[in-house]
Amino acid sequence: MGADNSTASADATTGDDALLAVDEVVKAFGGLVAVDGASFDVERESITGLIGPNGAGKSTLFNCITGVHGPESGSVRLNGDEIQGLSPTEVARCGVGRTFQTPKTFRGMTVRENLAFAATNQTGERALGPLLQSGTVRSEEHEVQTRVDETLEFLELDHLADDYGSALSGGQRKLLELGRVLMMDPEIILLDEPVAGVNPSLTDDLLRRLEELNDHGRTILFIEHDMDIVMQHCDRVVVMHNGTTLASGAPDIVQNDERVVEAYLGGYA
Amino acid sequence: MGLDTFLQAVVSGLIEGSVIAVGAVGLTLSYGVTRFINFAYGEFLTYGAYLTVFLAGGLFGVSLPLPAAAVVATVVVGALGVAVSRTFFEPISDRGALPLLITSIGVSFILRNLLQGWVGVDARQLPIPLLRRQDYFGLFRLTHLELGVIAASVVTMLTIHLLLQRTMLGKRMRATSGNRSLAKTAGIDTTSVIRQTWFLSAAAGALAGVLYAVLFSPFRPGVGFEYLIVIFAATLLGGIGRPYGAMLGAFCIGLAMNFGSTYLSANYTRAYAFLILVGVLLLKPEGIRGGEF
Amino acid sequence: MSETESDIETLRRFDDAMFSARGVETGYGDLQVLYGVDIDIQDDEIVLVFGPNGAGKSTLMRALFKQLPLWNGTIEIGGEDCSNLESNQMVTHGVAYVPQTSNVFPNLTVAENLDIGGIHADDVGRRHEMFELFPRLAERQSQAAATLSGGERQMLAMARALMPDPDVLLIDEPSAGLAPQLIEQTFEHVDQIRQAGTAVLMVEQNVTAALDVTDRAYVLDMGENRFEADADTIRNAQRVRDLYLGQ
Amino acid sequence: MEVDRRAFLRRTGGAATVTAIAGCTGDGDGDDDGDGGGGDNTTTGGDDSSLTIGVLLPFSGNYGWVGANVLPVVNMVVDEINEQGGIDGRQVSVVQGDTEASPDAAVSATDRLVNVENVDGVIGPTSITMSAVIDTLIENEVPVITPTAGTTSLDDRGGDYVFRTVSSDSLGGRAIAKAARDQQYNSLEDYERMALMVGNKEVFQSFKEPVRSSLKEFGGTVTTALDIRTGKASYSSEVQQMMESDPEICVLIASVEDSVKITEAGYQASYEGNWFVTQDQTNQDFLSQSENQVTNDVLGLNAAAYQSAQSAGRLDEFFEAITDYAGWDKGAKIFATNTYDAMNVMGLAMKQVAASSGDLTGPNVADAISTVATPPEETVTAYTAGASAIESGSDVDYEGLVGPINFDENGDIVAPFSIKIAQDGEWTEAGRLPPEAL
Amino acid sequence: MALLTGWAAFVVGVATIACIYGLLTLGLNVHYGYTGLLNFGHVAFFAAGAYAAAILTMPPPSTVTNASYTVGFNLPMPWGFPVSLAAATLVGGALAALIGATSIRLGTHYLAIATFALAGVFSDVLVNEAWLTNGSFGMNSVPKPGQAALGPDRWQLAYLAFSLLSLLAVYLLVERVLDAPFGRLLKGVRESEDAAKMLGKNTTLVKLKSFVIGGMIAGFAGGVYAHYIGSVVTAQFVPQVTFTVWAAMLLGGAASNTGAVVGAVLVMTFEESTRFITTVYDWMQATLPDALSGLLPAIFGPLPNNPSFIPSMRFVIVGLLFVLVVRYRAEGLLGDPAEIEALGEEEGSE
């Protein structure tokens, strides 16, 4: 796949500073090879877009990175440490936060509870915590709630704080899921189509927030179809097609790569 | 305990497996298209057995010969299955599997206790003569009735096999099981297919009840519910929703129960079925997930 | 996503269309996806629906086939109002549908898949016509559909839908996940289907290849009709390219 | 109005059940006509003036058959009492207390009978729930006669308030061992090697130790003692195991339905030895559910169908009466005779207290229970005769269907046992075992 | 004479048992209401607790008629009582841990069947291992703490008070624990295990904890039960208990602790009140005017003539309760509809 990667101008320079390094990952379901030797890096503090036509294997690759699927082969490294083979829980604890294409909102919990759930290292999450260390639990919970308030404000969901997850629209659920990931305070945020189904005004909001987060030093990798968005907001773009990474690099370079155009439009123009 | 004992355990296992198989196939058929585990299924066994006793025993003013009584009972219980589905399950069919599952527990309470309230808790049995086991090849011993049960079970399996493979109804059922929404897309009236499956499922349950009654009389109104877990075990072992797996699972469970009884302790007969079931669930928590046929 | 070019902004209405949907609105739960979409299909034409992801294309197909309830709007087939049919009844009204995924019965053999498709077929011999159209399926007829390759599945899905000899076939992304050489073949099949007398409405991302066989196309965006035009017009429209590559 | 009320009471067995009503509207018309006038002289008012008998037994669940067997017999005797004008001019009514064969249900059923219904006597309970309720019954001074609880755990807890008209399993077990060992009691042979198959419910387990220890005492050998799980589908493995120990006779202590399955399995497996069953199976139920070729020569233990009872035809009379009354399809159901005796003793004891102008309090009735059944007074065999005897001033000694019903200090009956042998679907007496022989 | 007479005595008894069922329902509610675990073997934890209490406090076998059990620790009563209850709680929790360790990873339906089956296995053990449990005889001399000192009636009242306090204490404890982030953790796992995993939560461990807590509560209920009835027999611990508790929880409202208690009280009240159907019938028959006296027999006459008719109809109604609550009021009386909406659904079933 070296040939593929060579087209991506930035690759050579990112190797050292890669926060997430995906190398030759293969995942098959029965006879169907969904991811077929995908390799790319995500630079620290970058916004990277993962694009490609339907069925290219983008979501499957996300699942491989986050431990949902055990890939057949290949490696996934975070900060140089192998995270392939860890369970989703462990991957998350390593600092990888992700959202789903269809948000998995806690529908029977309020927006506030959804967010508070995601805070890490809560003493109150131990069964005996509330009984034996009620002081600690209270003060931690106070802190968590403060962060929840901040997150709500940041996502402009404050007016929905006490609504149930089931009452939210699709776009609001996407936001909420992003909020949950933020509460986790991960090193890298993986977003699966964060704006699909979100109405346009919210979309702009959401993207603005992603950039804001990035400005504060967060690394973001997201799957997106909307080329406009990818071009405007990404530092780097990775293109997947038929389970492999076709190209990666700066948006304008990728955009004009003939093979990308062909993959994307099936030879259009 | 020599070879005799071993062979006898095998034979007993196969006989009981035959009964379980009929029950398990019925359960798995309905799971295949409805996608919930029906805790009321055991009542179909009970109703099948009781109805046969009543029909053969002249309770309704007629005394049918036993085979005829069994056939009538099977058909009537099949119809009961459709009625149960329409009354209790269809109205909430869009609510996911869990409400259906919980409802089925309620339905099993209702059916079982209605029967018990109506006919009492007296033990009943089929009017069949008692037979001594015949020696076969000097290896194992069987009664004609036991042979008959095995035969009936095999015929039932074969019938269900042919039905599923050769008839349009069977194909419709399999299609509905394989992909309900696509089945509708292909123009299948899935609602009616589901009802037909309920009929078959309940009828198979009733037949299993009759076979059970033939072998294991006398019985009381709790019989089906108590045997249900054994049928569950067979169904899950074979992969829920898969009729052929259910047949195989049934024989495994039948053998396990009888080997356990013979060589370990007869007091834990039911437990062997349970433990095998749980063991399989543990080893393959995902693998046995159903299941279309 | 601003104003549209004048040559393709018209949304023509075909009053004699044999399949005609007007003002289709639907969605999932509380979430509205389509906001009044119009689609017409005339005899013997191939109509393409495309647009960016999330535009509501697949949702439109499901709505047209009554897999989703219509919140608003009507569907007429041959002048008959079919807005209130169940999806299984659409088949008897001459409409067939090939979903994008899970479009074969994996547990049934190829032949049985076709039998299921033929439930409402008058002509039992039609299975052979399908085998002529898709010789590959004839070779595989006693295999379970689950064992087929992606391309073969797509053929089977189409063949199954064609069994009742529908007047119009709705296909959702026939080329999704197929190898490039198969994509071309797929569109050839679509063309053959039209030649055999079945109009086709397809959703496709592989726009260029699809346009080669298409007569007319609708562009959908954000759950609304954006453009409608003949294939040639679309092919040359810079706007379409922009919509995809975002310049 | 009064007539209707009485007819209703009679049909339902007093304040009994809706269920009983139903049955008798169907087949009880004949009885109704006969007694319209008979009831006119009695007034039945509120609860103050009626006596209540609680039937504390399982009516639902797997043991529901116990209640089903007992209740009609109680009702029949109560009818008889009421036809005689009740006790001290007070009608007797019957209240069901469903124990569901579960202790917690038994506790609330007992609380209800004792405290809400203020029952004057209790028929029941079974062995399973005895422990949970016996204290409450004794504390509230309720006279209890149980026709069903042979459990050895009651051996040292009876007396005063709790009596039983079923012999203690410890005595029964001893009798089985003795009868099996000695040909003079069983008419077949002196069995030496004996296997035990015991259901794993208290009612059966209660026999196990007595049989085992007595057999050793009488010089026999226990080849194997198998606990068997009740309610199983098939017992072929267990029977196989039993046969491997090669016994001459197998003592089978299990429910009728399990016994049917087990003896059948033995037959099918060509078991050569014999069976010995307990009171629970020595009845028509067992024989009519089995084929004759299976049950022929099976030995059964029974409380001696008290010779006089049998020779005087009282047993047959009773079976006929109860078959007719309850609409049963067969006469002798388990516990039917025990219940008949229990209820007659209860009725006579109350009558006795009333006649001696005592208050019908628990202690008085309980005292009377042992006296009305103890010789050497005038022997009576049914309530009606006993009641007139008492009214005419004599003391009575009730002699029952299961035995002479003489209670010892623990409230147990000491009765001769009868060893039955099954022949062609009938039980016939093979020998008789007097208590002294034990 | 007696302090408790008439209705009061009956009500005291029923109320005590209702408290015990209230405890059981609270335990099940942790499993199902909060965590979405389909536990169909609840009765096993109840039994484990009851037997633990019995084994600890039974007199030595040598002093009991026909004892088959070989261990009876005969803990002396005043201080033995709390020890016994603590042991019951622990044993209930331990059994839950054991069953949970094997089955908790299973999806909802499979968990339902596995728990149902394992409870069956456990009941077989109780029946067959007579050396420990005294087999089907049961443990019939479990001491009733304080009864000797207080006398039966006072003791009844005192034990009711104790049961009520226990219920209240467990209720408050459960509320406290579940109101904290731990409850939020359970609910999140209930709503979407996948999402919880992605947020770094060890969902298997969480489910196991939930299972153990519910098991401990049921075990505690078993201890309270054993010392109340004084007799622990296998016939008590049948699947029907599990389903009665389910009925109580569904009726009261899953995921509502108040609902659990209310549900238990209602179901017990209903079950016990059916004991009086015949009394009501008599009363009606006696008070109806002459002209109508044939009415009731005419209505009820065609009903079957067997004594188990009414008791059976009781469970028909319990069954109907399941059906109707699920269909028309899934959130029960006090549950929150928004919370129940997705309860217990398999992941990715949409």
Side-chain angles (χ1 to χ4, degrees), chain D residues 37 144 184 191 200 214 237 329 343 362 393 403-404 429:
Chain D
V144 176
Q184 67 156 306
Y191 292 104
N200 62 358
S214 312
S237 305
D329 46 9
M343 195 53 223
E429 190 162 88

Side-chain angles (χ1 to χ4, degrees), chain D residues 8-221:
Chain D
F8 170 74
L9 281 176
R10 218 189 50 72
R11 274 190 273 125
T12 59
T17 62
V18 178
T19 59
I21 310 163
C24 297
T25 45
D27 58 315
D29 286 347
D31 306 345
D32 287 357
D33 299 338
D35 67 50
D40 281 340
N41 57 346
T42 20
T43 49
T44 52
D47 287 333
D48 298 344
S49 64
S50 83
L51 287 166
T52 315
I53 301 293
V55 180
L56 184 62
L57 290 168
F59 287 96
S60 58
N62 281 340
Y63 289 89
W65 56 270
V66 176
N69 285 2
V70 167
L71 187 65
V73 181
V74 171
N75 282 336
M76 189 174 78
V77 177
V78 165
D79 276 5
E80 188 183 336
I81 295 173
N82 287 337
E83 267 165 43
Q84 299 305 310
I87 290 168
D88 202 14
R90 293 161 72 177
Q91 291 283 294
V92 178
S93 58
V94 175
V95 188
Q96 264 176 272
D98 182 9
T99 65
E100 300 168 25
S102 132
D104 71 359
V107 165
S108 53
T110 309
D111 279 346
R112 176 200 164 209
L113 291 185
V114 169
N115 293 308
V116 180
E117 301 292 347
N118 293 309
V119 292
D120 300 285
V122 162
I123 299 294
T126 56
S127 298
I128 307 167
T129 51
M130 179 61 91
S131 299
V133 303
I134 186 169
D135 290 343
T136 309
L137 291 168
I138 293 174
E139 280 153 17
N140 286 283
E141 302 178 327
V142 180
V144 176
I145 308 180
T146 172
T148 58
T151 176
T152 51
S153 65
L154 193 56
D155 282 2
D156 52 1
R157 299 178 82 171
D160 296 347
Y161 288 98
V162 183
F163 303 84
R164 54 180 159 185
T165 54
V166 57
S167 55
S168 166
D169 297 340
S170 51
L171 203 60
R174 224 173 144 69
I176 288 175
K178 184 75 181 171
R181 282 292 294 132
D182 200 334
Q183 197 221 332
Q184 67 156 306
Y185 298 122
N186 66 42
S187 81
L188 294 174
E189 55 185 291
D190 292 345
Y191 292 104
E192 197 260 313
R193 297 170 50 75
M194 193 185 291
L196 261 71
M197 293 179 82
V198 188
N200 62 358
K201 292 276 194 281
E202 171 172 10
V203 281
F204 310 125
Q205 290 284 320
S206 186
F207 270 100
K208 189 166 128 188
E209 272 318 304
V211 174
R212 183 151 48 181
S213 55
S214 312
L215 187 68
K216 282 180 188 148
E217 190 185 321
F218 298 137
T221 322

Side-chain angles (χ1 to χ4, degrees), chain C residues 171-230:
Chain C
I171 316 181
D172 196 352
E173 300 231 16
S175 79
L178 296 187
Q181 63 272 27
L182 287 176
I183 293 177
E184 207 169 309
Q185 194 190 350
T186 302
F187 293 124
E188 276 166 28
H189 287 312
V190 172
D191 200 36
Q192 283 168 330
I193 291 167
R194 181 252 303 271
Q195 281 162 23
T198 299
V200 176
L201 176 74
M202 66 174 164
V203 163
E204 187 50 65
Q205 289 217 340
N206 224 317
V207 183
T208 318
L211 282 174
D212 286 343
V213 297
T214 300
D215 299 306
R216 232 160 28 85
Y218 289 87
V219 179
L220 219 59
D221 190 26
M222 305 300 300
E224 292 180 50
N225 288 103
R226 186 126 315 228
F227 323 117
E228 183 275 334
D230 292 337

Side-chain angles (χ1 to χ4, degrees), chain B residues 37 87-88 95 97-98 101-103 105-106 110 113 116-118 120 229 236 240 267-268 270 274 281-282 289, chain E residues 32 38 40 102 106 109-110 113 116-117 121 124-125 128-129 250 304 306 309 312 315 319 326-327 343 345:
Chain B
I37 293 172
T87 315
F88 295 109
R95 298 254 300 270
L98 194 73
L101 176 88
I102 294 177
T103 298
I105 289 171
I110 293 170
N113 287 288
Q116 182 173 301
W118 226 256
I229 199 77
L236 294 184
I240 185 156
N267 284 328
Y268 286 103
R270 219 175 35 152
F274 296 177
L281 286 174
L282 286 178
R289 287 264 163 113
Chain E
Y32 177 74
L38 248 73
F40 281 177
T102 59
L106 300 171
H109 294 216
Y110 298 91
I113 291 183
F116 186 45
V121 173
D124 283 1
V125 172
N128 290 318
E129 302 308 318
L250 292 174
N306 71 67
F309 180 72
S312 301
F315 292 107
V326 167
R327 190 184 299 183
L343 206 157
E345 268 314 302

Side-chain angles (χ1 to χ4, degrees), chain E residues 188-283:
Chain E
V189 170
R190 172 189 79 189
E191 298 294 321
S192 169
E193 212 181 321
D194 282 352
K197 280 183 190 164
M198 288 305 159
L199 296 168
K201 311 297 183 194
N202 186 342
T203 54
T204 308
L205 187 65
V206 170
K207 289 198 286 184
L208 192 60
K209 278 184 185 173
S210 158
F211 212 57
V212 169
I213 292 173
M216 287 171 77
I217 297 172
F220 176 71
V224 175
Y225 168 87
H227 290 291
Y228 174 61
I229 304 276
S231 162
V232 176
V233 299
T234 50
Q236 169 72 49
F237 303 103
V238 291
Q240 199 156 291
V241 174
T242 299
F243 295 121
T244 304
V245 175
W246 266 88
M249 182 188 62
L250 292 174
L251 179 66
S256 159
N257 290 318
T258 319
V261 174
V262 168
V265 170
L266 287 179
V267 167
M268 291 325 285
T269 307
F270 162 73
E271 288 212 347
E272 292 304 332
S273 65
T274 54
R275 291 187 187 282
F276 296 93
I277 287 179
T278 52
T279 316
V280 171
Y281 181 94
D282 270 6
W283 174 82

Side-chain angles (χ1 to χ4, degrees), chain C residues 41-42 44-48 167-171 190-191 193-194 198-202:
Chain C
I41 308 168
Q42 293 173 285
D44 296 346
E45 67 173 349
I46 297 179
V47 180
L48 175 67
D167 299 322
V168 56
L169 179 65
L170 314 179
I171 316 181
V190 172
D191 200 36
I193 291 167
R194 181 252 303 271
T198 299
V200 176
L201 176 74
M202 66 174 164

Side-chain angles (χ1 to χ4, degrees), chain B residues 5 116 121-123 125 128 130-133 141 143 212 216-218 220 226 261-262 266-267 269-270, chain D residues 61-62 64-65 227-229 232-234 237-238 244 257 261 264 267-268 270 289 291 293-294 333:
Chain B
T5 319
Q116 182 173 301
V121 287
D122 282 350
Q125 64 175 354
I128 42 176
L130 186 68
L131 300 165
R132 201 176 265 263
R133 289 209 171 96
R141 304 162 63 77
T143 66
Y212 179 97
F216 305 132
S217 283
R220 298 186 190 276
E226 282 156 24
S261 295
T262 307
N267 284 328
T269 304
R270 219 175 35 152
Chain D
N62 281 340
W65 56 270
D227 286 351
I228 54 166
R229 193 193 156 79
K232 267 183 69 177
S234 153
S237 305
E238 289 86 340
E244 267 150 24
E257 62 202 68
K261 291 178 186 175
E264 277 186 19
Y267 176 83
Q268 290 169 337
S270 307
Q289 290 190 39
E291 296 290 314
Q293 66 260 42
V294 175
K333 290 211 175 195

